[in-house]
Amino acid sequence: MRSHPHRPGGRAHRPAALVAGAVPLTLALLATGCEASTTSTAADAQADDVFSSVRFSLGARGDIQIAGTSRTAVTRAGDRTVTGGRAYPFDRPPGKLLVVLRHWPSPSGQRAARDVVRLLPPPDDVAIESAYLVDTGDWALAELDGHPVQWLRRDTIRVDTTKAGAVGRTHLTLSGPRGRRPSPDGRACEGVDPAVNRYVVLPEVESGAAVPEVLARLRERCLDVQYVSMPGGGHRGTVRSIEIPVAGHTAPVAELPPTDGSAAQGHLPGDKILTDPSRPTRVLVIR
């Protein structure tokens, strides 16, 4: 008799306790599952945002192709004609990397067939600069035809194919650090006016020198560079020569190291020459 009234209460109490315990457990599982899913999604999104690599491929007549896992980080910045070899002052927003590719106009019709074997620059054409903005986020290593040339961050890199003729294509690859530490740039030439000619002392340049060594000497003199990939003539990935523009002179450039043809012009290492900062210094790299 005493147990009878308590049985229904006992039976009712135990399920209530189970349900009461299940509610916080279920909420905890839902909360844990939601948090894990959110963390994974955020990590995936962050991984997708990290710059990996992008490659620009072009010939002397343009035909620019862009490939790589980070090609969506590239934005067109326009095409401009080059006047007197002067670099066009493209705008570079803060945090972006500016890539400028100089080439001849795309041929058409019968003229295109003749240009297949022509190696000399067309005298009647005006070169074009095609610009691209790249969101690398941080440091990126620039490689020219597979050879490292420069670390970049919020900077500009220029590649010129107008001297390479119709031989092959030029490839510029930008890739993330992947744990490697970039070399310090040390450039402090923000006050140089590109519209004003100025004097610089010609540096020592040896054929076959490493690109970073020559680049450091040029940037000490606040000279902007434009890379040119040329076939043959020494070890691949090294400097073949450089061409520094001479302002107000019949000779367009001072070539170092001096060749037999340019030595008579008197441009030797240690000489002071008047340069035109609006015309980039060409660094010829052996392909």
Side-chain angles (χ1 to χ4, degrees):
M1 293 291 293
R2 275 179 286 184
S3 63
H4 180 71
H6 294 285
R7 266 183 211 157
R11 291 193 188 99
H13 177 73
R14 282 194 296 270
L18 290 174
V19 171
V23 171
L25 179 60
T26 303
L27 292 175
L29 288 173
L30 289 174
T32 304
C34 180
E35 184 179 357
S37 175
T38 304
T39 303
S40 177
T41 303
D44 292 342
Q46 185 178 6
D48 292 339
D49 292 340
V50 175
F51 180 81
S52 177
S53 67
V54 64
R55 185 171 95 155
F56 298 85
S57 175
L58 72 157
R61 286 291 188 175
D63 184 22
I64 300 171
Q65 300 174 10
I66 303 174
T69 56
S70 299
R71 59 185 178 276
T72 56
V74 180
T75 305
R76 284 290 304 272
D79 299 320
R80 296 291 188 273
T81 56
V82 178
T83 304
R86 290 173 174 80
Y88 185 84
F90 288 98
D91 291 332
R92 184 185 60 79
K96 299 287 186 178
L97 177 65
L98 177 63
V99 175
V100 181
L101 308 175
R102 183 179 292 191
H103 55 87
W104 298 113
S106 299
S108 59
Q110 186 176 355
R111 183 172 183 175
R114 294 198 305 267
D115 287 339
V116 171
V117 295
R118 186 170 68 179
L119 304 182
L120 297 176
D124 53 342
D125 281 347
V126 177
I128 295 175
E129 288 186 337
S130 298
Y132 298 84
L133 294 172
V134 187
D135 187 6
T136 61
D138 203 343
W139 287 98
L141 177 63
E143 296 177 295
L144 189 63
D145 290 327
H147 306 290
V149 291
Q150 184 179 352
W151 282 99
L152 296 160
R153 183 174 63 173
R154 298 186 293 272
D155 206 339
T156 300
I157 183 168
R158 297 176 177 273
V159 177
D160 186 356
T161 64
T162 60
K163 284 182 66 71
V167 179
R169 294 177 65 82
T170 299
H171 305 284
L172 172 66
T173 303
L174 303 174
S175 57
R178 297 189 184 91
R180 294 172 292 177
R181 299 187 64 179
S183 302
D185 188 70
R187 186 179 183 189
C189 304
E190 299 299 329
V192 174
D193 190 344
V196 178
N197 298 341
R198 57 188 177 81
Y199 286 96
V200 299
V201 177
L202 295 179
E204 288 279 353
V205 177
E206 305 83 18
S207 182
V211 175
E213 296 177 9
V214 175
L215 180 63
R217 297 171 196 171
L218 296 176
R219 290 208 155 185
E220 284 178 358
R221 292 156 175 80
C222 302
L223 294 171
D224 290 325
V225 304
Q226 189 167 52
Y227 293 106
V228 180
S229 180
M230 298 290 290
H235 295 292
R236 292 187 298 175
T238 62
V239 173
R240 174 177 172 178
S241 61
I242 65 171
E243 297 174 349
I244 300 178
V246 179
H249 198 281
T250 55
V253 296
E255 185 177 355
L256 298 174
T259 61
D260 293 339
S262 64
Q265 299 170 0
H267 301 311
L268 298 173
D271 291 346
K272 182 182 289 187
I273 65 169
L274 185 66
T275 63
D276 180 359
S278 68
R279 294 166 53 198
T281 295
R282 284 173 166 172
V283 178
L284 281 65
V285 182
I286 301 172
R287 180 175 296 170

